[in-house]
């Protein structure tokens, strides 16, 4: 699945001032890793965001938000946000800030290296 270059550019613009950001292609989209942790991404034309699992149920009640479904299983704390729910810059920034605020508490996606 291709991802929206327009959304990817909006994400790049937002994360341009954030340290330790890395772009990775995954889930058929483009993921932005912060401190080696999955933070947000562009999957198709939707925003994927990793938010605090404690805020997950409340987030699902917001316009255009659905759970991220990977391999038929919903992943608590991971959401997709529809394009019409992030077309305004303030709406996109809301979800990006939610993901970035949770990032320090999130588990790292990087596997620890073995010491020899």
């Amino acid at each position: 699945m291709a991802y929206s270059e327009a959304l990817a550019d909006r994400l790049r613009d937002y994360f341009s001032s954030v340290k330790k950001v890395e772009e990775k292609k995954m889930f058929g989209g483009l993921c932005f890793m912060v401190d080696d942790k999955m933070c947000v991404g562009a999957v198709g034309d939707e925003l994927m965001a990793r938010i605090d699992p404690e805020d997950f149920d409340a987030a699902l009640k917001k316009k255009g938000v659905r759970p991220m479904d990977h391999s038929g299983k919903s992943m608590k704390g991971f959401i997709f946000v529809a394009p019409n729910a992030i077309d305004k810059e303030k709406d996109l920034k809301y979800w990006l800030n939610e993901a970035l605020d949770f990032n320090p508490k999130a588990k790292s996606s990087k596997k620890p290296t073995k010491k020899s």
Side-chain angles (χ1 to χ4, degrees), residues 54-99:
E54 291 182 17
D55 299 334
F56 183 71
D57 292 331
L60 294 178
K61 295 177 183 172
K62 295 187 183 275
K63 172 187 162 191
V65 178
R66 65 182 178 91
M68 180 176 161
D69 184 314
H70 187 65
S71 303
K73 181 182 176 200
S74 177
M75 299 173 65
K76 191 159 182 149
F78 290 84
I79 58 170
F80 282 127
V81 185
N84 64 347
I86 54 169
D87 54 355
K88 293 180 182 150
E89 218 46 42
K90 71 177 181 77
D91 295 329
L92 175 64
K93 285 184 179 178
Y94 171 82
W95 291 112
L96 299 180
N97 288 335
E98 286 290 306

Side-chain angles (χ1 to χ4, degrees), residues 1 12 21 25 37 48 51 53 59-60 63-64 74-75 77 80-81 94-95 104 109 111-112:
M1 172 190 291
R12 282 184 192 105
V21 176
K25 290 188 178 184
K37 301 174 211 169
M48 182 282 297
I51 62 170
L60 294 178
K63 172 187 162 191
S74 177
M75 299 173 65
F80 282 127
V81 185
Y94 171 82
W95 291 112
S109 301
K111 294 188 171 42

Side-chain angles (χ1 to χ4, degrees), residues 4-19 21-23 30-32 34 40-42 47 86-90 92-93 96-97 100:
S4 165
E5 283 293 341
L7 177 55
D9 287 342
R10 291 173 73 195
L11 298 177
R12 282 184 192 105
D13 183 54
Y14 176 87
F15 283 102
S16 65
S17 62
V18 177
K19 294 181 181 177
V21 176
E22 179 184 359
E23 291 181 29
L30 183 66
C31 184
F32 288 76
V34 177
V40 301
L47 172 71
I86 54 169
D87 54 355
K88 293 180 182 150
E89 218 46 42
K90 71 177 181 77
L92 175 64
K93 285 184 179 178
L96 299 180
N97 288 335
L100 204 53

